[in-house]
Amino acid sequence: MKRLSILLALWVCATTNAVAQYPYTHRIDAVAKEITYEVTRVLDKRLYLNNIANVLDNELIVWTDGTVVEENDYLSLKLGELNTGSVYRAIRETFTESEYHILESGKDWMDVLFVIDPCGKIMEVDFTINVSPRTEAISPDKYALFEQNLKKYVTYSITEDMARLQFWRTYHRFDFASLGILYKNQDPGIALPDSLQTHE
């Protein structure tokens, strides 16, 4: 009986440690307070968190009249400029200074897919995350808060091309090691580092 109790205690500890180290399991949804993410893992190197409420992340890009935009036409269109201060604010409103510095020191990064409306506001967000002990430790609630803050604060300037589309899709890499975000007296007009430039 004593041996069984010891084995059971070891099993509980091992299970707890495994859950703490790898909370995001392939094909098991990550449930936050207000958002549920579909989880996809690739060789424990990439973690994809897709908001199950999203409907536009894989839809065809269309003009305002509903006709499909040809790929060559889409690549030639001009996206508005990202408001840098709004990005920095979303990060500061999500991660505490100590949390940010942990991600910064670990050289962690994530690619964030934005679906943007014709007015330059974020409609949908998906995450592609470089797996590390630090990004694994971020709770679903924290990712949900980050998504909410990105939608709340991040904006683009409007171009004529954007106004002709029902929505625009693009992504940005958040490379924490090179963002250089300050948590006091942050200049909202600071130029975007290369790591935050748009990738079509």
Side-chain angles (χ1 to χ4, degrees):
M1 184 69 177
K2 183 177 181 181
R3 183 180 178 188
L4 180 61
S5 298
I6 293 172
L7 289 174
L8 182 59
L10 289 173
W11 178 82
V12 169
C13 289
T15 304
T16 303
N17 288 337
V19 171
Q21 188 175 4
Y22 299 110
Y24 297 99
T25 304
H26 186 65
R27 297 303 182 193
I28 296 179
D29 289 347
V31 180
K33 290 178 182 176
E34 298 182 20
I35 297 174
T36 297
Y37 292 104
E38 179 185 65
V39 178
T40 306
R41 295 183 72 99
V42 179
L43 300 176
D44 283 332
K45 294 181 181 294
R46 298 289 181 271
L47 177 66
Y48 299 89
L49 298 182
N50 304 106
N51 186 332
I52 64 170
N54 288 352
V55 295
L56 300 175
D57 48 355
N58 290 311
E59 291 294 315
L60 294 172
I61 304 293
V62 293
W63 301 109
T64 51
D65 65 5
T67 58
V68 176
V69 180
E70 298 296 329
E71 183 177 358
N72 288 339
D73 292 334
Y74 183 67
L75 292 175
S76 67
L77 298 177
K78 184 177 180 182
L79 176 64
E81 293 184 6
L82 178 62
N83 181 315
T84 309
S86 68
V87 172
Y88 281 42
R89 182 175 183 183
I91 293 173
R92 289 197 305 270
E93 293 287 331
T94 302
F95 300 103
T96 66
E97 185 171 3
S98 60
E99 288 170 339
Y100 169 76
H101 287 313
I102 288 171
L103 294 170
E104 180 184 44
S105 64
K107 296 181 168 44
D108 292 300
W109 60 265
M110 62 183 70
D111 289 332
V112 181
L113 174 70
F114 291 144
V115 177
I116 309 157
D117 72 14
C119 296
K121 294 286 291 181
I122 306 300
M123 302 168 67
E124 295 183 358
V125 171
D126 279 333
F127 297 105
T128 301
I129 301 153
N130 183 49
V131 173
S132 76
R134 295 163 299 279
T135 56
E136 290 260 68
I138 299 173
S139 70
D141 284 344
K142 181 71 79 167
Y143 280 116
L145 177 62
F146 193 24
E147 173 172 340
Q148 291 164 348
N149 284 333
L150 289 168
K151 290 177 177 176
K152 182 177 181 180
Y153 297 118
V154 172
T155 59
Y156 287 77
S157 61
I158 304 169
T159 66
E160 292 182 7
D161 288 337
M162 289 176 67
R164 298 165 58 202
L165 299 175
Q166 290 188 7
F167 60 89
W168 190 290
R169 193 163 50 231
T170 189
Y171 72 90
H172 292 273
R173 173 158 292 187
F174 289 77
D175 186 344
F176 292 98
S178 61
L179 285 174
I181 294 178
L182 303 177
Y183 274 68
K184 294 180 180 178
N185 303 316
Q186 175 68 51
D187 178 3
I190 191 170
L192 269 177
D194 290 342
S195 60
L196 270 184
Q197 296 303 320
T198 299
H199 300 279
E200 300 296 345

